Amino acid sequence: DLHVRRRRQRQMCIRDRFHPSDGRLYLTDFLGGGVLSMTPDGEDPQAHFTGAVEGVAMLPDDIAFAPDGTMFVTDTRGMDGPGWETPGRVVRIGVDGTASVLADDLPSPNGIVFDEEDAGLWVAQYNANRIDYFALDEERTRVVSAYPAIHVDGGIGRIDSTAVDAEGNIYQAFHEKAEIVVFAKTGEQIGVIRVPGEGLESATNIAIAPGTTDGYLVVSGPAGGFVHTFEAYGEGTRQSNGG
């Protein structure tokens, strides 16, 4: 059934981003509860972080890097439960590997990305179909304000990974819906990128090539999986990789 299919898909989930300075590819291990890294060609795999955070094991999903390499990871706990249960967290992992909870009591956060100025985080709440904005202090060690910024009409779909472009536009992908919805940073919906074809259920991972408007979207469903290309609304940056 739908519940079992979603659970199996998430168990196999691995999300990735490149580190801003060491050039390695970092991946979340959803079942293992940690973060791995490797070279871009898949060599030299290493465990970057493992173990519980403040006594609770993670279900890590997406990663956002600050310019100095500090990592922010969504802990998508509670994703198979009702949206009014809020065990999810955002975890901060410093450059020294020390982990702490940046925010908790969240409805299964999934997508996470810095805004175009690296000042705050857009966090997609999977079990609420809502994108929150977390403004951070200058050291990016704590949230100074947070609020629901964008409510997303998902229907039976739920919001997944998130990306931004150089203009600050927000690209929101979906689980169980083969499209991206694009919002201005002021909240207005400015476009929808729909993937044509039958047998497609999800469009979950976004990337925009830095310095271009060449967009890429991972699509999947009974018809198979493939990468769909699209024209982005603004040029890509380091942050334009939604999982």
Side-chain angles (χ1 to χ4, degrees):
D1 61 17
L2 178 61
H3 177 78
V4 172
R5 186 166 71 250
R6 281 176 170 165
R7 189 182 188 92
R8 287 175 178 168
Q9 288 174 336
R10 304 306 294 187
Q11 285 176 338
M12 295 184 289
C13 175
I14 295 176
R15 302 298 172 86
D16 59 87
R17 283 190 189 264
F18 283 99
H19 194 281
S21 58
D22 72 11
R24 292 175 64 88
L25 182 65
Y26 285 71
L27 308 96
T28 55
D29 180 0
F30 188 76
L31 282 183
V35 179
L36 313 175
S37 76
M38 62 185 66
T39 64
D41 57 4
E43 301 296 327
D44 188 32
Q46 298 178 12
H48 177 72
F49 178 83
T50 59
V53 179
E54 298 186 9
V56 180
M58 281 202 298
L59 291 177
D61 198 286
D62 277 13
I63 302 171
F65 276 111
D68 67 351
T70 300
M71 181 185 302
F72 298 82
V73 182
T74 48
D75 181 5
T76 317
R77 296 174 56 80
M79 60 173 297
D80 289 326
W84 54 83
E85 295 179 357
T86 55
R89 306 180 295 177
V90 173
V91 172
R92 179 187 186 274
I93 303 176
V95 293
D96 62 354
T98 302
S100 60
V101 176
L102 183 78
D104 57 6
D105 195 24
L106 303 175
S108 301
N110 189 311
I112 186 168
V113 65
F114 272 95
D115 61 19
E116 76 282 10
E117 297 178 347
D118 293 318
L121 292 162
W122 297 106
V123 181
Q125 308 290 359
Y126 178 84
N127 265 354
N129 273 349
R130 185 185 80 221
I131 306 170
D132 293 348
Y133 185 73
F134 292 2
L136 305 181
D137 64 355
E138 290 186 2
E139 292 76 27
R140 302 185 184 91
T141 59
R142 64 184 181 90
V143 178
V144 295
S145 67
Y147 46 86
I150 300 169
H151 293 273
V152 182
D153 294 327
I156 64 168
R158 286 191 264 185
I159 59 177
D160 205 280
S161 295
T162 314
V164 298
D165 64 24
E167 305 300 320
N169 299 316
I170 303 143
Y171 297 73
Q172 183 57 60
F174 287 90
H175 187 57
E176 300 293 339
K177 198 172 186 179
E179 67 181 40
I180 305 171
V181 179
V182 187
F183 299 93
K185 62 183 177 181
T186 48
E188 300 90 349
Q189 181 175 318
I190 60 175
V192 179
I193 299 165
R194 293 188 173 91
V195 183
E198 300 295 326
L200 301 174
E201 291 182 346
S202 295
T204 54
N205 302 81
I206 310 161
I208 306 168
T212 79
T213 57
D214 298 333
Y216 303 89
L217 174 64
V218 177
V219 185
S220 63
F226 60 91
V227 177
H228 174 76
T229 59
F230 65 92
E231 185 77 10
Y233 287 72
E235 291 187 353
T237 70
R238 180 180 62 82
Q239 297 288 4
S240 302
N241 173 16

